[in-house]
Amino acid sequence: MIINPCTSCGACCALFRASFYWSETSEFTPGGVPSHLTVKINDFMVAMKGTDKTPPRCDCLVGEIGQSVYCKIYENRSSVCREFKPAWEDNLPSPRCDYARSVWGLEPLTPDSWRSPEGYPKAA
Ligand code: SF4
Ligand code: SF4
């Protein structure tokens, strides 16, 4: 079976603070990020719980970094999470993805990370 390389990574969810405008939370936007999984940063911003800690790790990340992971609120994740692009998914590099993986001792993704052994694009 062909899988998205993020499902065997998770490094960015355990490195950066995932902060975004409070208006994205379920308290204000139906279907938004569940409010109880966020923490207030200031009058305008909240962050995913766990990513505000040292070391950071989002409370919604399930699994082992570099092995097998998933986001338990994937369909309701914030804009900052949706906009974080894994390297080469859209044929573009992603230095922040490369950096997150390097911190966790993982090699950077390559264009081939998005191809099946048969050469077809991988399914998301
Ligand atoms: S909400 Fe999901 S995608 Fe966003 S940091 Fe947490 S685990 Fe990662
Ligand atoms: S660091 Fe890159 S490959 Fe790893 S989960 Fe984040 S976007 Fe995906």
Side-chain angles (χ1 to χ4, degrees):
M1 183 178 152
I2 300 166
I3 53 172
N4 183 317
C6 290
T7 62
S8 56
C9 179
C12 56
C13 305
L15 186 66
F16 302 116
R17 189 177 74 176
S19 56
F20 49 93
Y21 286 108
W22 52 261
S23 60
E24 290 189 44
T25 62
S26 58
E27 192 175 347
F28 302 97
T29 301
V33 182
S35 297
H36 69 283
L37 296 173
T38 67
V39 61
K40 182 177 177 178
I41 298 297
N42 56 39
D43 286 348
F44 305 103
M45 307 291 283
V46 297
M48 293 308 301
K49 274 186 181 171
T51 69
D52 59 321
K53 303 263 174 59
T54 305
R57 176 175 168 130
C58 184
D59 286 3
C60 292
L61 185 68
V62 180
E64 188 177 342
I65 308 287
Q67 298 295 320
S68 178
V69 295
Y70 68 91
C71 169
K72 68 181 182 183
I73 61 157
Y74 188 79
E75 296 301 326
N76 304 96
R77 69 198 191 285
S78 71
S79 58
V80 73
C81 297
R82 292 173 189 275
E83 289 164 9
F84 195 102
K85 290 292 182 185
W88 306 111
E89 181 185 32
D90 299 322
N91 293 318
L92 292 171
S94 174
R96 281 163 57 91
C97 172
D98 293 349
Y99 173 68
R101 289 179 60 89
S102 74
V103 168
W104 280 94
L106 302 169
E107 294 293 320
L109 298 181
T110 69
D112 284 345
S113 303
W114 296 93
R115 294 191 175 280
S116 70
E118 299 80 25
Y120 296 113
K122 286 187 174 183

